[in-house]
Amino acid sequence: MWCERCKQRPATVHVTKVINNYKTESHLCASCAQQSGIDPGKELGILFEPEFSFHNLLAGLLENEVTGPKDGFTPYLEATEKCSTCGLTFSDFRKIGLLGCANCYQSFKEFLKPLFRRVHGNITHTGKVPKRTGGKVRLKKEIEDLRRKLQDAIRREAYEEAAKLRDEIKAKQEKLK
């Protein structure tokens, strides 16, 4: 989308105003927004960063963490763990928001779990499985879901439901073999 005023630069400032149920929208580039007297950071009370970076977002998420995951008392700022492959320290990762290599995931696993949980809502990947080629994978996922339901039924003392789930799990495990 191009700036509505100059039509030469991409629009990076989008302002929506609703007054008496009448909605107006403006899409301006940063310089035209400044010329119009719009200062998004102050006037509109929003974060304005034309050079948005996903890495800065990750680094910002880690900035507010207070405790480390291992013992509950180690501050992230004092984390001196280092990746054995690329030499990146966790505090370097916190500054730049980028891991150095694939081994960093293993080296910083305990420190990354809270971040993944906050960003994705979970620490395990539960992506989609292709219908045509994912027969075994889909079956394993169904068995895992049934096991969770079984544990929940046992916790609730719904033993008839638990017995049905147990039989369903057995049947699916036989299919898997």
Side-chain angles (χ1 to χ4, degrees):
M1 178 178 290
W2 295 100
C3 174
E4 291 176 353
R5 183 184 265 181
C6 69
K7 297 181 181 13
Q8 295 177 0
R9 291 179 291 276
T12 57
V13 178
H14 307 279
V15 180
T16 303
K17 292 181 182 179
V18 179
I19 301 172
N20 295 330
N21 291 329
Y22 182 71
K23 179 180 170 183
T24 58
E25 292 183 352
S26 301
H27 307 283
L28 305 170
C29 65
S31 60
C32 288
Q34 284 179 336
Q35 289 171 2
S36 298
I38 297 173
D39 184 1
K42 291 180 183 173
E43 202 171 295
L44 302 176
I46 58 173
L47 174 67
F48 176 66
E49 189 174 338
E51 314 262 329
F52 175 77
S53 163
F54 185 70
H55 312 301
N56 291 341
L57 173 68
L58 285 177
L61 283 172
L62 285 170
E63 230 172 72
N64 294 328
E65 290 293 327
V66 179
T67 59
K70 289 187 176 176
D71 56 8
F73 297 101
T74 308
Y76 273 120
L77 296 173
E78 295 174 11
T80 56
E81 302 234 354
K82 197 177 221 182
C83 176
S84 59
T85 305
C86 67
L88 182 80
T89 63
F90 188 75
S91 49
D92 289 340
F93 166 68
R94 287 187 66 239
K95 290 176 190 165
I96 61 174
L98 262 179
L99 293 171
C101 66
N103 189 50
C104 287
Y105 287 97
Q106 283 303 114
S107 300
F108 306 133
K109 180 168 63 176
E110 293 303 315
F111 292 105
L112 293 172
K113 282 181 182 179
L115 175 65
F116 291 149
R117 188 172 284 115
R118 188 175 329 150
V119 172
H120 296 290
N122 201 340
I123 58 171
T124 56
H125 178 68
T126 55
K128 294 181 181 177
V129 177
K131 287 185 179 177
R132 285 185 234 159
T133 59
K136 282 188 176 183
V137 175
R138 188 178 306 102
L139 204 52
K140 286 179 183 178
K141 189 174 179 181
E142 287 174 10
I143 291 170
E144 283 299 313
D145 288 342
L146 288 171
R147 284 186 179 146
R148 269 190 241 109
K149 288 179 184 177
L150 175 65
Q151 291 300 321
D152 183 50
I154 292 170
R155 216 175 297 119
R156 291 183 287 122
E157 297 181 7
Y159 298 115
E160 289 179 16
E161 182 183 344
K164 289 177 186 175
L165 290 168
R166 179 202 59 210
D167 295 341
E168 201 173 333
I169 290 170
K170 284 183 181 177
K172 290 195 185 269
Q173 285 176 332
E174 288 299 318
K175 259 190 200 177
L176 192 60
K177 291 177 184 176

